Amino acid sequence: DRRKGTGRFGAAIFPLIGHYPYLNFTGDDHATSAEKMRALLAFQDRWLGQIVNLLERQNQLQRTIIVVTADHGPRTPYEEPEPPSGLIDDRTFHVPLLIYVPQALDHTEVIHWNTSHIDIPPTILDLLGIEQGRSYEQGGAIWDSRLKDRMLFFFANHYLGADGYGQRDRYFMWNRTTDSVYTSNETMRFSPEDLVTGGSDGHKRVTRTIQDIV
């Protein structure tokens, strides 16, 4: 509110230029999909560099919070040579998340538990010291270690044919087409060895948990 002399403001930039259908910035009509994507990343990186340079010239970089993330990972053969079919995995849901907070940290801190996009607003509001109007927010600040005990859902039935969730370094997946349930420890990569017996208590628990949240 500039009337109060704080001069705070926020801006959100969603460059769909890095989303499908992908433009070709390589100058080569025969470039591979990987080459096109690297060129797109370089293009967006230059955009980010322009913003950072502008903030630096205005002596505002050290007073600015910058968040860089993505909406999802690869989901098609164009993006991933062997995309998951009837499965979900960390390639689809694990996206970059970098939060630049120069006034709070002078070094990099790595978060070792799963976070979600719903955790970004609470994180920023905490960093800004804003307490008003937060009774109904979802998520939590990414440094809150209680997040590692949270049940985090991964919905992709409409696109990949499966839904799942994770909690305390364990992951569960339900392929609704085949009614197959999988469980995996520590990593969201499922294989036939992770298949749960149909009709078992484990099978019922996973399907019921996903059905309940849906």
Side-chain angles (χ1 to χ4, degrees), residues 129-142:
I130 295 175
E131 300 178 356
Q132 300 91 342
R134 300 184 58 179
S135 302
Y136 299 103
E137 71 182 15
Q138 300 181 48
I142 62 173

Side-chain angles (χ1 to χ4, degrees), residues 108-112:
T108 301
E109 285 283 349
V110 178
I111 304 299
H112 295 285

Side-chain angles (χ1 to χ4, degrees), residues 70-75 87-96 115-117 153-158 160 162-164 188:
D71 55 350
H72 57 75
R75 303 181 300 184
L87 301 171
I88 59 174
D89 63 19
D90 53 2
R91 291 171 297 178
T92 302
F93 286 93
H94 188 196
V95 298
T115 61
S116 169
H117 289 89
F153 286 84
F154 307 94
F155 295 113
N157 181 56
H158 66 291
L160 300 176
D163 291 326
M188 195 163 65

Side-chain angles (χ1 to χ4, degrees), residues 54-208:
L54 174 62
L55 291 169
E56 202 165 30
R57 289 198 303 271
Q58 299 295 325
N59 296 317
Q60 295 299 313
L61 184 59
Q62 297 303 308
R63 301 177 59 192
T64 302
I65 296 173
I66 300 176
V67 179
V68 179
T69 188
D71 55 350
H72 57 75
R75 303 181 300 184
T76 68
Y78 186 89
E79 302 164 328
E80 173 70 44
E82 297 181 5
S85 178
L87 301 171
I88 59 174
D89 63 19
D90 53 2
R91 291 171 297 178
T92 302
F93 286 93
H94 188 196
V95 298
L97 173 60
L98 184 147
I99 302 179
Y100 173 75
V101 199
Q103 286 188 314
L105 293 173
D106 59 2
H107 60 283
T108 301
E109 285 283 349
V110 178
I111 304 299
H112 295 285
W113 44 80
N114 288 331
T115 61
S116 169
H117 289 89
I118 63 174
D119 301 323
I120 296 176
T123 299
I124 295 175
L125 293 174
D126 274 7
L127 290 168
L128 294 175
I130 295 175
E131 300 178 356
Q132 300 91 342
R134 300 184 58 179
S135 302
Y136 299 103
E137 71 182 15
Q138 300 181 48
I142 62 173
W143 54 77
D144 188 341
S145 61
R146 292 177 298 176
L147 295 183
K148 64 185 177 183
D149 297 321
R150 174 180 61 181
M151 188 177 290
L152 194 61
F153 286 84
F154 307 94
F155 295 113
N157 181 56
H158 66 291
Y159 210 100
L160 300 176
D163 291 326
Y165 61 94
Q167 186 178 34
R168 301 189 187 95
D169 295 327
R170 293 200 70 196
Y171 295 92
F172 308 86
M173 182 190 66
W174 178 26
N175 181 316
R176 299 194 184 205
T177 303
T178 62
D179 194 27
S180 302
V181 167
Y182 299 76
T183 65
S184 177
N185 289 325
E186 296 184 357
T187 177
M188 195 163 65
R189 294 284 179 99
F190 300 96
S191 69
E193 289 76 22
D194 301 317
L195 190 62
V196 174
T197 303
S200 65
D201 290 342
H203 183 282
K204 294 177 182 177
R205 182 173 59 253
V206 172
T207 56
R208 188 183 305 116

